[in-house]
């Protein structure tokens, strides 16, 4: 992939899951990577498999620290070609059982953190007249799913912001891509927040039967290089992927299907 070789690509949430899959795939094609996340040790392990990569560990929701971090990364790399906003956290709790603080946490991690990082990276891209913003939004950014009210809210916000931003910045030669993964075998289910803010933990979760992070990375990169504004990621024909079409073609049917899937809890 000569159109990837030499590109400076910053990936958040790069220590595991889709972020790790992208890092490995892009490094194999000669990209120069900046790998970010909170887990320094895990990032170092990924970096060891990505020659020439830089590790910049930070807490994405520490918004006050981000300007200094971005300045440092820009100075070291000379500028970012692609920004992949991949870090995120999910949810597994009913709306009636979810503390308000959990909603705040999910919105901070899944929406405000990528928004702020993009704000800081974007001016240099505009000045250069090139760049790509890749936002990982999930099928949950298009369809309301039970047990994920906060996650869906944050991902719907991410999709809306991305679409509006694309309309504004395409005139500068920039691209905005929205990823809508279905089930990918990652730790997102185990790390999802319960209503009290605790982690769900390992166990039966639909994502565990999803495609591999390597399959996901291949689909994402192909979509980016094809300049697709929205990139579905998942097993072709899988039920969750069919929801993307169902929501457009039969919204009421989609709502009814989601309602039938909601856990029935006596109150």
């Amino acid at each position: 992939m000569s159109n990837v070789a030499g590109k400076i690509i910053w990936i958040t949430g790069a220590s595991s899951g889709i972020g790790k899959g992208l890092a490995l795939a892009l490094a194999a094609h000669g990209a120069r990577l900046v790998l970010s996340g909170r887990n320094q040790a895990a990032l170092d392990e990924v970096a060891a498999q990505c020659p020439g990569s830089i590790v910049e560990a930070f807490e994405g929701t520490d918004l006050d620290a981000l300007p200094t971090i971005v300045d440092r990364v820009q100075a070291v790399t000379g500028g970012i070609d692609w920004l992949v906003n991949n870090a995120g956290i999910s949810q597994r709790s009913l709306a009636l059982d979810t503390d308000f603080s959990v909603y705040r946490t999910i919105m901070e991690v899944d929406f405000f953190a990528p928004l702020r990082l993009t704000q800081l990276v974007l001016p240099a891209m505009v000045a250069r007249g090139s760049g790509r913003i890749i936002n990982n939004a999930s099928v949950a950014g298009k369809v309301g799913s039970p047990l994920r009210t906060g996650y869906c809210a944050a991902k719907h916000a991410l999709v809306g912001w991305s679409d509006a931003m694309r309309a504004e910045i395409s005139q500068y030669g920039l691209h905005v891509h929205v990823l809508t993964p279905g089930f990918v075998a990652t730790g997102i289910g185990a790390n999802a927040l319960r209503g009290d803010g605790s982690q769900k933990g390992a166990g039966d979760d639909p994502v565990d039967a999803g495609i591999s992070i390597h399959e996901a990375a291949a689909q994402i990169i192909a979509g980016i290089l094809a300049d697709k504004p929205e990139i579905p990621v998942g097993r072709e024909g899988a039920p969750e992927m069919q929801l993307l079409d169902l929501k457009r073609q039969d919204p009421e049917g989609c709502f009814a299907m989601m309602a039938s899937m909601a856990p029935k809890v006596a109150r």
Side-chain angles (χ1 to χ4, degrees):
M1 293 185 185
S2 58
N3 38 12
V4 171
K7 295 291 185 186
I8 299 170
I9 301 176
W10 192 353
I11 306 172
T12 68
S15 61
S16 63
I18 291 175
K20 178 180 178 179
L22 281 170
L24 297 176
L26 291 166
H29 291 292
R32 297 172 55 199
L33 303 178
V34 180
L35 306 176
S36 289
R38 294 180 299 174
N39 189 327
Q40 178 80 49
L43 289 170
D44 288 341
E45 289 183 9
V46 177
Q49 304 173 66
C50 301
S53 60
I54 298 168
V55 170
E56 184 67 48
F58 64 92
E59 170 55 66
T61 58
D62 186 358
L63 304 185
D64 291 339
L66 288 182
T68 299
I69 292 168
V70 171
D71 286 347
R72 181 165 61 242
V73 169
Q74 301 265 34
V76 170
T77 62
I80 304 301
D81 294 305
W82 298 11
L83 173 62
V84 183
N85 287 309
N86 169 74
I89 192 167
S90 192
Q91 173 193 12
R92 297 293 186 272
S93 62
L94 295 167
L96 287 168
D97 298 330
T98 303
D99 292 342
F100 181 68
S101 62
V102 173
Y103 284 113
R104 292 292 292 263
T105 295
I106 293 171
M107 288 298 296
E108 289 288 345
V109 173
D110 290 353
F111 181 59
F112 288 114
L115 185 155
R116 183 58 179 145
L117 184 58
T118 301
Q119 277 190 317
L120 295 166
V121 170
L122 200 55
M125 288 185 172
V126 171
R128 195 169 60 243
S130 66
R132 296 181 186 272
I133 305 295
I134 298 104
N135 292 328
N136 192 354
S138 166
V139 168
K142 308 290 283 188
V143 177
S145 178
L147 298 176
R148 298 162 176 81
T149 49
Y151 185 63
C152 288
K155 294 301 187 177
H156 273 70
L158 191 66
V159 171
W161 169 63
S162 299
D163 288 349
M165 181 169 57
R166 182 187 303 110
E168 294 180 1
I169 68 176
S170 62
Q171 63 185 303
Y172 304 116
L174 275 60
H175 300 267
V176 178
H177 306 273
V178 171
L179 312 180
T180 56
F183 296 152
V184 180
T186 70
I188 193 169
N191 295 326
L193 298 184
R194 296 187 182 277
D196 61 359
S198 63
Q199 286 191 340
K200 170 183 169 290
D204 184 34
D205 197 283
V207 301
D208 298 335
I211 63 173
S212 72
I213 60 173
H214 307 293
E215 292 175 274
Q219 292 180 21
I220 291 166
I221 295 169
I224 292 170
L225 296 180
D227 288 333
K228 291 184 178 180
E230 191 167 297
I231 304 170
V233 181
R235 187 171 290 114
E236 186 174 357
E240 77 277 8
M241 304 310 295
Q242 293 180 27
L243 288 172
L244 295 171
D245 290 329
L246 183 63
K247 177 67 180 293
R248 288 189 293 265
Q249 298 166 0
D250 182 11
E252 291 186 6
C254 184
F255 298 149
M257 179 182 293
M258 291 297 98
S260 73
M261 294 169 58
K264 303 301 186 289
V265 180
R267 290 196 178 273

